């Protein structure tokens, strides 16, 4: 476990941008972002254009950034933390490092899309789906459950992004909902069934589209982005598992204000900006994520949001849980498939 934790910290050092450093400038904010620049960069640029508040953004893994914040403690330069899932924010909340978000920001979302004590707020939803090749798979034959993928009819036909952070988010929640014994049995059965490893969701959607493999476990928006770019030549589609199935969870991205920040008003302005009608429309119409602000409709092409969404998640020790997830994934052999 110690070796894996070391890998996490090394990954942080290599993967995060080195642009962040608090300078006490009241006209600037420091943002630690677990969402990629490709996804949220235009939204952050629009904030600066509207407010003249400069943003110094450090991009990296949500888990790694949460561990860094815990290490920095009161000396962190960060004012705002964006996470791809609620677990890292809940971890910082347990450490007492998050401020209560302003009421007018919290009121932009439903109760289930913010923390019970108001220390973080959701701003986008990502559904887990099974992407499939529409020329090789009859939609009537698609499975109801992620557990069905271990049966013989899927042998050698399913792609699993075992090293991808979004898959690891999902697998951690899968473990917490079902217990380690069930999670290990499922992943070992996927490996025994010849499931294949791909490093990224986008690579899986591309491989499914050209029939290199017929199925893949991915976030929903990747296929919508490929279809928007390639039109009818993209030969893949999303399949949602049956309601309440573990394979179809929707995981929400979260935003929080650090308790030591001297710029809480400006930080809350940024959170309000994330949940503004204009930026929520951008998230759903350009990125194809699900908007969480009340009154903002999902993009017309999106199906209804998954019923089983993961909002408030109680993870006592995010480092230990995600380290355990990585241990199980590595031990399964899926990364060698």
């Amino acid at each position: 476990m110690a070796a894996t934790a070391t890998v996490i910290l090394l990954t942080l050092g290599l993967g995060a941008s080195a642009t962040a450093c608090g300078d006490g400038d009241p006209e600037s904010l420091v943002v630690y972002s677990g969402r990629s620049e490709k996804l949220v960069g235009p939204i952050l640029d629009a904030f600066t254009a509207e407010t003249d508040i400069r943003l110094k953004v450090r991009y990296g893994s949500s888990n790694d950034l949460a561990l860094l914040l815990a290490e920095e403690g009161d000396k962190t330069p960060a004012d705002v933390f964006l996470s791809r899932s609620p677990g890292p924010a809940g971890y910082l909340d347990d450490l007492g490092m998050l401020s209560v978000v302003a009421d007018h920001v919290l009121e932009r979302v439903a109760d289930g899309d913010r923390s019970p004590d108001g220390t973080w707020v959701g701003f986008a939803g990502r559904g887990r789906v099974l992407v499939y090749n529409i020329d090789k798979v009859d939609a009537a034959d698609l499975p109801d459950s992620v557990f069905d993928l271990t049966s013989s009819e899927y042998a050698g036909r399913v792609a699993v992004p075992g090293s991808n952070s979004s898959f690891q988010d999902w697998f951690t929640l899968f473990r917490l909902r079902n217990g380690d014994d069930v999670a290990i049995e499922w992943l070992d059965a996927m490996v025994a069934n010849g499931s294949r490893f791909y490093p990224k969701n986008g690579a899986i959607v591309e491989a499914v589209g050209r029939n290199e493999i017929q199925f893949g476990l991915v976030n929903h928006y990747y296929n919508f982005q490929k279809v928007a770019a390639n039109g009818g030549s993209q030969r893949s589609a999303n399949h949602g598992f049956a309601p309440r199935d573990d394979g179809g969870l929707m995981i929400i991205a979260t935003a929080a204000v650090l308790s030591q920040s001297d710029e809480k008003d400006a930080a809350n302005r940024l959170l309000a900006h994330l949940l503004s009608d204009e930026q929520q429309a951008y998230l759903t119409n350009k990125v194809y994520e699900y908007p969480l602000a009340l009154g903002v409709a999902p993009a017309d092409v999106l199906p209804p949001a998954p019923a089983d969404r993961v909002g408030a998640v109680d993870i006592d020790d995010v480092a230990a849980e995600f380290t355990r997830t990585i241990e199980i994934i590595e031990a399964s052999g899926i990364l060698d498939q």
Side-chain angles (χ1 to χ4, degrees), residues 47-85:
F47 176 77
T48 295
E50 292 176 9
T51 64
D52 288 331
I53 298 175
R54 294 182 295 114
L55 299 179
K56 300 178 179 179
V57 186
R58 182 167 192 156
Y59 292 99
S61 155
S62 299
N63 298 336
D64 291 345
L65 291 173
L67 293 175
L68 177 62
L69 284 165
E71 181 179 328
E72 293 175 337
D74 291 342
K75 293 183 173 56
T76 182
D79 299 291
V80 172
F81 175 52
L82 305 181
S83 175
R84 65 172 185 258
S85 64

Side-chain angles (χ1 to χ4, degrees), residues 181-194:
D181 289 347
V182 171
I184 292 170
E185 182 179 2
W186 174 81
L187 188 55
D188 287 350
M190 292 290 288
V191 173
N193 208 31

Side-chain angles (χ1 to χ4, degrees), residues 56-288:
K56 300 178 179 179
V57 186
R58 182 167 192 156
Y59 292 99
S61 155
S62 299
N63 298 336
D64 291 345
L65 291 173
L67 293 175
L68 177 62
L69 284 165
E71 181 179 328
E72 293 175 337
D74 291 342
K75 293 183 173 56
T76 182
D79 299 291
V80 172
F81 175 52
L82 305 181
S83 175
R84 65 172 185 258
S85 64
Y91 169 68
L92 295 175
D93 190 17
D94 288 345
L95 296 178
M97 293 189 65
L98 302 184
S99 173
V100 174
V101 176
D103 287 344
H104 71 276
V105 178
L106 295 173
E107 290 168 357
R108 288 287 291 159
V109 304
D111 289 347
D113 292 331
R114 61 196 193 205
S115 74
D117 57 1
T119 52
W120 56 258
V121 63
F123 65 93
R126 301 171 297 141
R128 296 296 297 180
V129 298
L130 183 71
V131 65
Y132 67 99
N133 184 285
I134 58 177
D135 296 321
K136 300 298 180 180
V137 179
D138 188 331
D141 296 332
L142 290 165
D144 290 330
S145 172
V146 71
F147 287 96
D148 295 338
L149 299 178
T150 61
S151 65
S152 58
E153 66 183 291
Y154 297 100
R157 304 176 72 195
V158 183
V160 177
S163 62
N164 184 265
S165 56
S166 61
F167 176 80
Q168 293 171 357
D169 279 346
W170 172 81
F171 190 73
T172 300
L173 297 168
F174 182 64
R175 285 179 44 231
L176 296 174
R177 286 163 62 102
N178 294 281
D180 277 7
D181 289 347
V182 171
I184 292 170
E185 182 179 2
W186 174 81
L187 188 55
D188 287 350
M190 292 290 288
V191 173
N193 208 31
S195 296
R196 291 164 56 186
F197 167 66
Y198 284 74
K200 295 183 178 180
N201 289 289
I204 289 177
V205 173
E206 291 173 0
V208 169
R210 60 178 180 263
N211 194 34
E212 181 177 298
I213 195 163
Q214 289 72 55
F215 302 95
L217 293 169
V218 296
N219 284 339
H220 78 277
Y221 51 86
Y222 287 94
N223 193 68
F224 286 103
Q225 292 173 357
K226 293 296 182 186
V227 170
N230 301 327
S233 64
Q234 183 65 35
R235 307 306 293 166
S236 60
N238 285 344
H239 167 65
F241 295 105
R244 306 297 178 188
D245 184 76
D246 289 311
L249 297 175
M250 187 168 88
I251 301 173
I252 67 174
T254 65
V257 177
L258 276 298
S259 59
Q260 51 65 43
S261 172
D262 293 328
E263 306 296 340
K264 291 186 178 65
D265 288 345
N268 274 287
R269 287 182 68 185
L270 177 56
L271 269 55
H273 174 80
L274 288 169
L275 288 165
S276 66
D277 288 357
E278 180 181 1
Q279 300 308 322
Q280 289 282 287
Y282 170 83
L283 273 172
T284 193
N285 293 321
K286 298 297 184 183
V287 183
Y288 300 104

